[in-house]
Amino acid sequence: MDSIELSGDPRHRRRLTTRIKGSLRDVRSQLALLNRQISLRLELRDIDIDCLDLISAHGPISPTALAKQAGLHPATLTGILDRLERAGWIVRERATGDRRAVTVRALPDRLGEMYGLLSGMNTAVDALCADYTPDQLELLATFLENVTTAGRSATADLEKS
C-alpha cells in the first residue's frame, strides 16, 4: 500500500479512530458488567475474579508476581488469596527448591464453574470470528495485542508519575 492509500482523508481517519476508541471503552464496560454478573453468581468480588483469571492464565505464580500483574499491594493480595483459598478456587503450594517460596495455582474443577458462565460469551465470539477471513482475524488479533501493549505502557507511565 502506498502512503496515500494508508492515510486517506484525515477527517475520516480521525472519525474512525474516535469510533475505535469509543468501541474499546464500550467493550471494557461490557466486559466489566459480564464479570460483575459472574462474580455475583460465584459469590466472589470483582477483584477476586480478576486475580483468579490471572492465576489461571499465568499460574502457578508467586504472590509477588501476581500482585505486580494485578497492580495490587501485597497485603491486599493476601486477603484476596485467603478468600479464594477458603472458597476452594486456589491452592498455595511450596515452590520446589525453596521451602520459603510459595506459588499459587487455580483448581481446575472450580474453574469449570467460571468457564461455564463464560460459555455464552465464548460462543458469541466464536460465531463473530467465523465471519472473518484468517487475514482479517490476524489483523484484529494484532490490533488487540497492540492495544494491550499500549495499555501496559500507559499504566507504567502513570505509575511513574
Side-chain angles (χ1 to χ4, degrees):
M1 287 185 194
D2 62 18
S3 62
I4 294 174
E5 187 179 332
L6 270 177
S7 64
D9 173 22
R11 288 177 296 178
H12 181 66
R13 187 176 185 85
R14 273 194 309 275
R15 282 193 297 274
L16 287 173
T17 300
T18 299
R19 187 171 148 205
I20 288 168
K21 289 187 235 178
S23 291
L24 287 171
R25 280 191 304 276
D26 293 345
V27 165
R28 191 216 57 81
S29 295
Q30 206 53 55
L31 290 176
L33 290 171
L34 176 62
N35 283 344
R36 192 163 304 119
Q37 286 301 311
I38 289 170
S39 34
L40 286 171
R41 296 272 181 103
L42 298 175
E43 298 179 353
L44 294 172
R45 297 177 185 180
D46 292 356
I47 192 65
D48 297 351
I49 292 284
D50 292 341
C51 289
L52 186 56
D53 187 46
L54 287 169
I55 295 165
S56 173
H58 303 287
I61 187 171
S62 74
T64 303
L66 179 59
K68 184 175 180 178
Q69 284 194 10
L72 297 170
H73 188 277
T76 302
L77 182 65
T78 298
I80 293 167
L81 294 178
D82 288 346
R83 283 193 303 273
L84 290 172
E85 190 172 38
R86 274 193 310 271
W89 289 97
I90 64 156
V91 291
R92 292 173 169 129
E93 300 172 321
R94 295 281 171 214
T96 53
D98 183 352
R99 297 180 322 155
R100 296 168 298 162
V102 173
T103 59
V104 180
R105 80 174 164 84
L107 295 171
D109 293 346
R110 290 301 310 266
L111 287 179
E113 293 175 52
M114 185 168 61
Y115 295 145
L117 295 171
L118 287 167
S119 67
M121 181 64 173
N122 285 331
T123 299
V125 171
D126 287 343
L128 287 170
C129 288
D131 293 335
Y132 291 91
T133 68
D135 286 344
Q136 290 171 324
L137 290 172
E138 182 66 37
L139 176 69
L140 290 169
T142 300
F143 173 77
L144 291 171
E145 289 162 357
N146 290 339
V147 168
T148 301
T149 299
R152 278 191 197 108
S153 178
T155 300
D157 289 347
L158 286 174
E159 287 172 348
K160 292 177 194 170
S161 61

